[in-house]
Amino acid sequence: MKKLNWKDLSKEYFWRGLVTFCGLLIIILTLAISLFLIVKGTGTFVKYHHSVLEFLFSSDWDPMDSASEYGGKVGAAVYICGSLITCGLALLIAMPFSLAAAVFMTEISPRIGTKLIQPAVEIFVGIPSVVYGWIGLTILVPFIRNVFHAQMGGFSVLAAGIVLAIMIFPTITTVSADAIRSVPEMYRIAAYGMGSTRWQVIHAIVLPAARTGIYTGVILGLSRAFGEALAVAMVIGKTRAFPKNILSPTNNLTSAIASDMGNTASGGEYNLALWTMALFLFLISMLFILLIHVVARKKQEKETA
Amino acid sequence: MKKIMGKKVTAICAAVFMAASLMACGSSTATSSVSSAASTPAQSSAADAATSAAATSAAVTSAAASSAAASSAAATAASGASTAAASGSVIASGSSALLPLAQAAAQDYMKANPNSSVVVNGGGSGTGLKQVSDGSVDIGNSDVFAAEKLDAKSAAALKDHEVCTITMAPVVNKSLGISNLTTAQLVSIFTGKTKNWKEVGGSDEAIMLVTRPDSSGTRALFKKWALGGAEEASNSALETDDSGTLLQTVQDNKGAIGYVALSYLVNAQNVQAVSIDGVAPTLENTNNGKYKVWGYEHMYTKGDGSAQAQAFISYITGSDFAAKLEAMGYGTASKLSSDAVSAHK
């Protein structure tokens, strides 16, 4: 029997304590941020007595920017609508490309997929959002202006949608590809054995089997699109009006927060209205995360059943 | 085995560093200032050549500057103040309109006082005022008076230094052929009533407004002095807080109109500055009181501020820096004529 080595033991406890501390810190940090957002974000309703319905459904935005005066209007419907429309459009554009890329790199040509497409998609993920925004501003916006003769110089919902689509494309692609890869080989063999063509295998067997994973990818992509500020702000035009069509400019939540937060009087009505927007974004992303868990649980239930 | 242990230790060390930096996030201005302070000496050496040329011309203009009517803050700016060898650090944050000037001044100041460090961050006027008020920075830069953004008590604790003036000019695309607008036309355009340039004597081209966010100090200034308090039409205008983006947009679109500070027009040859009621937006017209659309740029300190902060403010308002200040398109507060000052009350 070896003698108890205090040195080793203290090391053991030290590292264990440290790792526990780091883990706890992350939890505390998350809770602290949530709490902070809730306290600040509800100020609009608690301190300045606006109704939640006004914030969500009114488009009358004119909060007072002063530390002592208040009584303006905080209808953020234009911003909320702008965020929803641009994200929806982005998803609409990105979805076919992402799915096609995922199918191609897993089912049709796995060799090219892993050697070329996978790395290319990974590079996409690493490009900073300001670069996307800049390319949008210098190439996409003039393009839309010249081709579609857009009224406001090409700054438009379409530009924002395309930039966002490019940004969420890699997320949806990689997650979907993983989901498709994890479909058991037996399914495919069985289908081929029954005389299916490759296309029949893909659309009738593989894609339905990978459905939940693809949903997860879509939700992850959406939450990235929803929270993206910089790239969208550069091309959306930031006009405070509902877009008349896909070529007219509008504004969204993240752009408004980014451009006004630093200028407003801390704790004033304007400032707190922006915090409420931030809280709204936070709740949306929580909802997305919740959805992912629900989807994942459904999948688990199905597999065990 | 040893190798694996080594890897583990480094990984855990990295985790500790990350945890420590997370905790330091509470005082984010402090951490960011350290990194930017380290980078500034290198930048300042690059500007050497330019500033030495400016310094010689500064000596010439200083005599003229000191004879002109001086505003309260500028009066304290003795040319010798900067040589009183201040050491230590100054952190400033706030207004993006004042940022280019404050950063240029910080570089020159650190060159003149090698033991000192001055870090200037942006963030917006509201941020600058809040941070100087709660003591997280030494100087809060602002386009507006503190009383407009802080409650009365905090505003009273701050001391205002009007370091320079900033003149705003409407700008349009060069090919539009418009170089003068009346105040009435300007108001009508920016409130969205006039929608086509042919209504104000231009070609048949739809007007495209490019303005600033509601909370912008630049917008507040333009609204007050150029539009007579009329609210801009946010629901039919593009908005950007970035003067570079604004200039680019005006350059790219024939029907566009926006407004920027003169400091952004110094190097912008592709846009047309528009005269208002026949008065061109220039420093001379600002100083002699003919051109109305200008405002003071403020540097606020809490109380009198630290000795280092005072020395820096003295430097930026002092005669040594005046030539550079004007070359960058800002105006010296001390050169304002009494007409200009009284018309702006």
Side-chain angles (χ1 to χ4, degrees), chain A residues 163-240:
Chain A
V163 167
L164 280 180
I166 298 172
M167 294 182 74
I168 63 175
F169 163 79
T171 312
I172 302 181
T173 306
T174 40
V175 177
S176 303
D178 285 344
I180 293 173
R181 272 193 208 105
S182 68
V183 173
E185 199 54 34
M186 274 192 312
Y187 289 19
R188 295 185 185 89
I189 295 169
Y192 282 127
M194 287 162 79
S196 304
T197 61
R198 183 157 74 174
W199 172 240
Q200 284 170 330
V201 173
I202 291 169
H203 91 98
I205 305 294
V206 176
L207 285 184
R211 206 175 52 212
T212 46
I214 294 171
Y215 288 157
T216 307
V218 168
I219 296 167
L220 278 175
L222 257 186
S223 64
R224 178 166 190 205
F226 220 79
E228 175 53 40
L230 199 57
V232 179
M234 288 168 88
V235 298
I236 199 170
K238 293 197 260 186
T239 301
R240 201 194 311 128

Side-chain angles (χ1 to χ4, degrees), chain A residues 65 262-266, chain B residues 91-102 120-133 137-150 155 158-166 168 215-221 294-301 312-313 316 330:
Chain A
D65 182 20
N263 285 325
T264 52
S266 174
Chain B
I91 301 171
S93 74
S95 161
S96 49
L98 187 53
L99 187 65
L101 180 75
V120 187
N121 297 316
S125 300
T127 304
L129 287 169
K130 178 179 179 292
Q131 290 189 330
V132 71
S133 179
V137 297
D138 303 305
I139 298 172
N141 301 334
S142 174
D143 305 331
V144 297
F145 287 97
E148 293 175 39
K149 297 270 182 187
L150 296 173
L158 299 181
K159 187 175 175 192
D160 185 8
H161 307 267
E162 288 167 350
V163 290
C164 66
T165 61
I166 192 159
M168 297 296 166
S215 57
S216 154
T218 306
R219 176 168 172 156
L221 202 151
W294 59 272
Y296 291 106
E297 284 296 329
H298 309 265
M299 281 191 169
Y300 279 95
T301 51
F312 177 62
I313 292 174
I316 203 170
Y330 295 84

Side-chain angles (χ1 to χ4, degrees), chain A residues 1-9:
Chain A
M1 173 98 189
K2 218 176 148 191
K3 218 181 105 191
L4 200 66
N5 190 336
W6 276 110
K7 216 174 152 195
D8 279 354
L9 208 61

